[in-house]
Amino acid sequence: MKMSPLKKQLITEAFLKATIRKPSQFNLPPKFQRKAIEQLSKLFPEDKSVEIRSLRIAGLDVEEFKPQQDATQLILHIHGGAFFVGSLHTHRAFMTHIAARTQMQVLHVDYPLAPEAPYPAALDAIFDVYSALLDQGIQAKDIILSGDSCGANLALALAVKIQQLELPAPSGLILLSPFVDLTLSSESLRYNQQHDALLSIDTLETGIQYYVPSAVTWDDPEVSPYFADLTGLPPMLIQVGSKEILLDDAQRLRDKAKEAGVRVEFKLYTGMWHNFQMFSAWFDEARQALADLADFAHRLDQD
């Protein structure tokens, strides 16, 4: 019997709240949480048409996803996980769907996690990966920076760093459910607290404590890129769900980027929770988000 979309959503939200959001209240060790998330990630089906290859770039493990041999555009993706969870395993299925939908090469970076490697380790590591790609002869105009949640934070912070160092800039930014203000001043943290099925304030607070050293303030632009000067950044796509506790992070970033003269495309998906894009196998809204992502990436390719 076919399940109605509403019933499927309610069951999925209840499952996510019980297996991910609820345990975040108990301050479990990072290694335990990482293993648990990796086990749950096995539920996501991969797109078997995409070829996956393991690489080493700038000392990091990287997975390459290729839907076709002559793919020229490259999406460099940085996974989320509140700076202390997430891996190549947790996002592998999602990367196959991005590669298949865009028909572009995707590189997924296994950057160092906190608390073992607090700021600036992750940002420095992905900067080294970007620099290595340029050294290999890949043109910056053929690279799109992408990230989800705290990965969007790192992608935006990397773009700002590239701008400040006057290095060749990527063609665009794809920011999915971005977590860009570590001062936790977004109002949606409060009014969506009971609605977001995946992400809790407890998880964000734990991640901040792990990631940000005591000598660094939470509004430092390198850890909270919302506070950075966004002038001159490449076009960006921002996607967010209406039920996310980070909804206001996305909306405030949109407004600030537009004020700085950045070309911004903002997409709001009704009824969706944090990182809903990973659920494209089951939900039309997530499939639409991937279609919107692919459309944005293809238009960058034509610019």
Side-chain angles (χ1 to χ4, degrees):
M1 183 175 69
K2 188 174 181 180
M3 189 182 300
S4 71
L6 177 57
K7 185 175 182 180
K8 181 168 58 175
Q9 179 164 342
L10 291 174
I11 290 173
T12 301
E13 290 185 348
F15 175 78
L16 292 174
K17 287 178 179 179
T19 59
I20 296 179
R21 204 181 74 175
K22 184 68 174 177
S24 70
Q25 302 174 10
F26 302 126
N27 197 28
L28 299 169
K31 290 183 179 179
F32 177 87
Q33 294 190 58
R34 291 167 191 163
K35 289 181 180 178
I37 295 293
E38 287 194 356
Q39 289 301 313
L40 289 170
S41 298
K42 293 179 180 179
L43 296 173
F44 294 110
E46 296 180 13
D47 188 312
K48 298 300 184 182
S49 69
V50 174
E51 177 185 336
I52 305 175
R53 187 163 66 110
S54 296
L55 305 172
R56 288 281 291 178
I57 302 177
L60 295 186
D61 290 328
V62 176
E63 284 190 337
E64 174 196 63
F65 299 81
K66 261 197 170 180
Q68 54 173 321
Q69 288 304 313
D70 58 351
T72 55
Q73 287 291 103
L74 186 155
I75 297 173
L76 178 61
H77 189 83
I78 306 159
H79 69 74
F83 303 106
F84 71 98
V85 297
S87 68
L88 297 180
H89 302 291
T90 59
H91 285 59
R92 182 175 293 130
F94 185 37
M95 296 301 101
T96 66
H97 292 288
I98 289 180
R101 196 67 184 79
T102 62
Q103 289 297 292
M104 294 178 178
Q105 178 186 10
V106 176
L107 292 182
H108 182 209
V109 182
D110 194 25
Y111 61 88
L113 298 176
E116 298 89 341
Y119 166 84
L123 182 58
D124 287 349
I126 60 172
F127 175 79
D128 289 344
V129 170
Y130 183 82
S131 300
L133 294 176
L134 297 183
D135 290 343
Q136 291 172 15
I138 298 173
Q139 297 188 61
K141 69 178 184 63
D142 292 330
I143 301 175
I144 301 170
L145 292 183
S146 173
D148 63 274
S149 193
C150 76
N153 175 308
L154 292 168
L156 181 58
L158 175 59
V160 171
K161 185 171 185 175
I162 291 167
Q163 175 81 357
Q164 291 172 341
L165 295 175
E166 300 183 352
L167 294 173
S171 63
L173 284 162
I174 295 173
L175 307 176
L176 311 178
S177 302
F179 176 35
V180 291
D181 177 7
L182 273 60
T183 69
L184 301 181
S185 55
S186 287
E187 283 300 314
S188 56
L189 290 166
R190 264 63 66 179
Y191 66 71
N192 268 345
Q193 185 172 4
Q194 300 304 318
H195 302 302
D196 195 326
L198 188 74
L199 186 61
S200 68
I201 297 175
D202 300 281
T203 295
L204 296 180
E205 290 176 340
T206 298
I208 293 167
Q209 293 291 342
Y210 285 158
Y211 178 63
V212 185
S214 58
V216 178
T217 59
W218 291 359
D219 62 352
D220 186 302
E222 284 209 346
V223 297
S224 290
Y226 169 76
F227 297 105
D229 181 1
L230 306 180
T231 305
L233 290 188
M236 63 175 67
L237 169 68
I238 302 172
Q239 293 185 350
V240 69
S242 66
K243 289 185 174 181
E244 294 201 43
I245 61 174
L246 295 178
L247 172 59
D248 281 352
D249 270 38
Q251 293 179 145
R252 291 164 60 221
L253 176 61
R254 170 201 60 196
D255 296 343
K256 183 171 182 180
K258 284 185 174 181
E259 289 173 4
V262 178
R263 195 176 93 205
V264 181
E265 294 186 25
F266 179 85
K267 300 283 186 177
L268 176 66
Y269 300 85
T270 303
M272 291 291 101
W273 53 86
H274 186 66
N275 267 29
F276 69 95
Q277 298 91 341
M278 297 180 72
F279 295 77
S280 62
W282 302 289
F283 292 96
D284 290 340
E285 294 85 354
R287 284 189 286 272
Q288 183 60 54
L290 286 185
D292 294 338
L293 183 158
D295 180 62
F296 175 79
H298 293 155
R299 282 185 280 112
L300 290 178
D301 194 20
Q302 295 167 5
D303 288 349

